[in-house]
Amino acid sequence: MATRSRIRPGDVISHARMCDAEGIMLQHGMNYRPGGRTSILLMSVRRGAPYEDQTLDEGRVLIYEGHDIARTRGGPDPKSVDQPMHLPRGRLTRNGRFFEAAQAVKRGKVAVELVKVYEKIRAGIWVYNGVFGLVDAWQERSHHGRSVFKFKLEVHEGAAPTDSASPRDLPHNRMIPTAVKLEVWKRDGGRCVKCGSTKNLHFDHDVPFSKGGTSLTAANIQLLCAKHNIQKRDKIQ
Ligand SMILES: [Zn+2]
């Protein structure tokens, strides 16, 4: 069996690779402690994305929208009804589980609730945004007049959970805002700027974040393949 190589924040991956890395088939956007492991949220702020996720504070904060009821034959339009806390038989929905987890953090019952976040930037193209801490959750009226959940997550500055991050990964643990990712992807044509490879790409900080390089302008971000990314990292260390 091949070992799963670890995915680092900024890595560009396929859905299959993401599932392989997590060891589960990710079919839902909201995955609360799947198999007892770290929670996973899949986000998208692309035009036409089903939920209104937002990134704030220069990529440090993520506001993630809860999810609708499942569409059923003969049932209501999921976008027309309140996002539920409970299933019909009373168990918590995915919204409910994340909501309760956020309340536990707010009440100080647990120190932190870690969540890994992946973002879909194009059809079949995902980016690992790193580890966030779930810090708040609430329900609000959407502009359609129904009730939706909102979850607030902040970049987690500590070590990554379970899969033992080495300290040198930490400077990358800052999300590159979506607009910057899309601009870089388009400018670099979805290819490594050194060799043109389309495989194992990574959103690389030209000047590293740890050396004061910003995540906020495309001018400091480039696409590199794994080989060229590692070469560059080794040079910097
Ligand atoms: Zn390359």
Side-chain angles (χ1 to χ4, degrees):
M1 193 183 124
T3 23
R4 285 184 208 128
S5 64
R6 208 161 58 72
I7 292 180
R8 305 167 65 249
D11 280 356
V12 179
I13 51 173
S14 66
H15 186 264
R17 176 81 180 81
M18 181 171 77
C19 294
D20 182 56
E22 294 297 343
I24 53 167
M25 184 64 201
L26 290 161
Q27 289 173 311
H28 293 274
M30 302 179 73
N31 306 275
Y32 182 73
R33 297 193 183 179
R37 297 167 56 197
T38 309
S39 296
I40 301 165
L41 289 174
L42 309 185
M43 65 172 287
S44 180
V45 297
R46 298 175 309 145
R47 221 175 307 161
Y51 299 106
E52 292 181 10
D53 302 334
Q54 282 178 285
T55 58
L56 305 173
D57 194 14
E58 306 181 333
R60 288 183 51 82
V61 173
L62 173 59
I63 306 293
Y64 188 87
E65 188 173 281
H67 284 191
D68 301 335
I69 60 165
R71 186 177 291 279
T72 54
R73 202 212 293 248
D77 173 4
K79 291 283 174 210
S80 72
V81 296
D82 292 349
Q83 291 182 346
M85 178 85 79
H86 296 97
L87 294 164
R89 297 238 174 133
R91 281 178 52 209
L92 288 169
T93 60
R94 292 164 190 274
N95 298 323
R97 288 197 228 171
F98 276 92
F99 184 84
E100 297 264 291
Q103 301 312 311
V105 172
K106 284 174 75 180
R107 286 197 303 266
K109 280 183 73 183
V110 293
V112 66
E113 178 72 33
L114 297 179
V115 180
K116 291 161 120 178
V117 178
Y118 291 88
E119 177 177 12
K120 187 181 193 175
I121 59 166
R122 294 168 82 101
I125 299 176
W126 295 77
V127 179
Y128 178 44
N129 279 340
V131 180
F132 286 70
L134 176 63
V135 295
D136 201 359
W138 62 93
Q139 291 171 287
E140 65 180 40
R141 291 275 144 207
S142 79
H143 46 89
H144 302 296
R146 69 187 179 121
S147 168
V148 297
F149 283 86
K150 295 286 178 178
F151 300 95
K152 183 179 179 186
L153 299 110
E154 291 176 350
V155 165
H156 181 65
E157 307 281 1
T162 58
D163 46 7
S164 65
S166 59
R168 73 180 194 176
D169 290 340
L170 294 179
H172 291 269
N173 200 2
R174 172 70 63 100
M175 180 175 163
I176 300 166
T178 306
V180 173
K181 287 198 203 87
L182 295 179
E183 190 183 339
V184 169
W185 184 269
K186 195 171 163 194
R187 183 197 64 206
D188 296 348
R191 293 172 176 276
C192 173
V193 297
K194 302 275 187 219
C195 70
S197 172
T198 58
K199 297 224 162 62
N200 303 315
L201 296 174
H202 178 83
F203 281 96
D204 173 68
H205 289 69
D206 191 15
V207 178
F209 186 73
S210 57
K211 302 236 185 326
T214 179
S215 304
L216 303 181
T217 67
N220 191 46
I221 311 287
Q222 60 186 353
L223 283 175
L224 288 181
C225 70
K227 189 181 107 188
H228 285 113
N229 185 43
I230 288 163
Q231 272 183 12
K232 190 188 146 192
R233 251 194 292 155
D234 289 346
K235 219 176 282 176
I236 290 168
Q237 299 297 315

